[in-house]
Amino acid sequence: MKRLTYAAIAIALAALPVKAEELTVVTAGDQNMVDYINQYLGPLFEKTYPGNTVRAVGTGPGDAGSQKILERFDAQSAAGSKTWDVDVAVVHEKFAGPMVQKGYLEKYRSDIDTGKLVTRDNANNALGSNVGGYVMPMFNSQTAIAYNPAVVPNPPKSYVELVDWVKQHPKQFGYNGIKGGASGVSFVMGWIYAFGAGDANNLMTGPFKQEETTKWGDAFKSLAEFNKNVTLTPGNAGTLDMLNRGEIAMGPVWVDMFYSWQANGQLSPDLKLVLPAPGMPGQPMHYVVPAEAAHKDLAEKFVALATSPDVQANGIVKQFNWYPGIDANFVKPKLDQATWNKLFVDITPDDLATKGKPFPIAPYNDAILEAYEKSVK
């Protein structure tokens, strides 16, 4: 009789619903980041793991948004909180390193199936900081050279070829310097990678060496000469506008912005992209899980779903024209041919793997911008 009673109790307990959990996701970035989680990723997760809910909180665009997340972690660490109020955070890459160094993050990537689908170096090195295992890229943004194939049927495949092309086609290449938007900054960093006499790899991975900053003189002299034959544009959008109006034939752009403008009719569908050797910088946004997260297991499931080939294809690529955080070759089977051709024919996954560069680590980045101001008029 006692055995039956215990069995009945066990059956009754098994029939009770599992306690629902609310997963808190805090994200830096524009409002579209919050909307993506609240309107697409969150509902998908709740359907996949019934009974659980997702709440997204935005901290604002740009570095300031990620800084607020870091300050939130600082405060909870200083207070000695055993359970933090963030389960998953989405941060810019420059903040991932400090978070790892302060011991704020869980080393979780090897615990999720999608961890092995990441191939780009920026998942291991974030502007000179070793973040391997602590981050999963949500997406990769990338800069490239947009061009009009009616005017440029054979676009330059490298910075060296671009220099020759600009000499032959003065004022047909346009970029926005270093103050009108990050696509221009990216172009300048790529120039130093291509023509600087120092160690380009050291600029990207560190450690900072003061002597490296003395090896860019000839590169900046050649950039000053190059600039005599280019058109300076008023910003990221300005470069696209001038391309669309035919005022320039080539210029550096953000790839996602380029395709979004084409999708909504702001940009001619005939314009194309090329990523010149040795490469140009882009940057990821990273999913991180705090070491003191209240729902670590659920957080890992959330990131695994968010970085699965299905979600990377239908969310990241189709909705935003971002490059996936995982290797694009794993995403290809989930995309229709038209979408794949739009995003990965001009710039292939191999191009991204070999020529998609990180920005220099912060002290080199600052030194290059300062040198540009002094040397390039």
Side-chain angles (χ1 to χ4, degrees), residues 1-22:
M1 185 68 179
K2 191 178 288 186
R3 234 181 249 170
L4 289 174
T5 302
Y6 287 155
I9 292 173
I11 291 170
L13 289 174
L16 291 174
V18 176
K19 182 184 177 183
E21 296 180 332
E22 181 180 74

Side-chain angles (χ1 to χ4, degrees), residues 83-120:
T83 302
W84 291 7
D85 62 1
V86 176
D87 296 303
V88 178
V90 184
V91 299
H92 294 83
E93 66 172 338
K94 71 181 288 185
F95 291 86
M99 289 178 179
V100 170
Q101 292 160 12
K102 291 184 175 187
Y104 292 166
L105 302 183
E106 184 79 4
K107 194 171 186 178
Y108 74 97
R109 194 167 83 205
S110 62
D111 295 333
I112 61 177
D113 290 341
T114 55
K116 60 181 177 292
L117 306 183
V118 176
T119 56
R120 287 184 64 161

Side-chain angles (χ1 to χ4, degrees), residues 3-286:
R3 234 181 249 170
L4 289 174
T5 302
Y6 287 155
I9 292 173
I11 291 170
L13 289 174
L16 291 174
V18 176
K19 182 184 177 183
E21 296 180 332
E22 181 180 74
L23 196 73
T24 300
V25 182
V26 177
T27 177
D30 294 329
Q31 182 61 35
N32 63 356
M33 296 283 284
V34 179
D35 293 343
Y36 172 67
I37 296 169
N38 279 335
Q39 298 173 14
Y40 173 75
L41 191 55
L44 180 62
F45 183 79
E46 290 167 2
K47 182 179 179 181
T48 306
Y49 297 96
N52 300 292
T53 57
V54 176
R55 180 175 68 101
V57 178
T59 56
D63 287 351
S66 288
Q67 179 64 37
K68 289 179 182 177
I69 296 174
L70 177 58
E71 290 171 357
R72 190 169 183 159
F73 290 173
D74 283 335
Q76 292 184 87
S77 176
S81 301
K82 298 300 182 185
T83 302
W84 291 7
D85 62 1
V86 176
D87 296 303
V88 178
V90 184
V91 299
H92 294 83
E93 66 172 338
K94 71 181 288 185
F95 291 86
M99 289 178 179
V100 170
Q101 292 160 12
K102 291 184 175 187
Y104 292 166
L105 302 183
E106 184 79 4
K107 194 171 186 178
Y108 74 97
R109 194 167 83 205
S110 62
D111 295 333
I112 61 177
D113 290 341
T114 55
K116 60 181 177 292
L117 306 183
V118 176
T119 56
R120 287 184 64 161
D121 289 342
N122 60 21
N124 296 313
N125 187 293
L127 304 180
S129 295
N130 182 1
V131 296
Y134 293 93
V135 304
M136 277 292 290
M138 177 185 185
F139 65 85
N140 282 291
S141 57
Q142 180 62 49
T143 54
I145 304 295
Y147 68 96
N148 184 344
V151 182
V152 192
N154 298 301
K157 299 298 194 299
S158 69
Y159 270 80
V160 172
E161 291 181 12
L162 178 63
V163 171
D164 292 337
W165 188 90
V166 166
K167 287 178 182 177
Q168 298 168 27
H169 305 85
K171 303 302 180 180
Q172 286 298 292
F173 180 88
Y175 81 105
N176 50 336
I178 62 169
K179 292 185 175 179
S183 61
V185 174
S186 173
F187 177 75
V188 170
M189 298 307 169
W191 186 280
I192 298 302
Y193 294 161
F195 299 119
D199 180 0
N201 190 59
N202 174 251
L203 302 185
M204 295 178 249
T205 62
F208 178 75
K209 300 176 183 177
Q210 185 64 43
E211 61 269 23
E212 285 293 315
T213 66
T214 66
K215 300 176 181 179
W216 308 326
D218 289 343
F220 279 117
K221 286 180 183 177
S222 65
L223 183 54
E225 190 65 26
F226 177 85
N227 273 12
K228 293 177 182 178
N229 290 319
V230 309
T231 297
L232 288 179
T233 68
N236 295 330
T239 301
L240 288 170
D241 276 331
M242 294 182 76
L243 276 165
N244 198 49
R245 292 194 299 265
E247 296 173 21
I248 57 176
M250 298 181 66
V253 300
W254 286 101
V255 171
D256 58 299
M257 189 176 182
F258 174 88
Y259 284 123
S260 293
W261 278 40
Q262 281 191 330
N264 63 25
Q266 290 177 266
L267 197 63
S268 167
D270 297 328
L271 299 180
K272 293 184 174 294
L273 296 169
V274 63
L275 186 54
M280 291 175 62
Q283 56 185 339
M285 291 287 281
H286 286 311

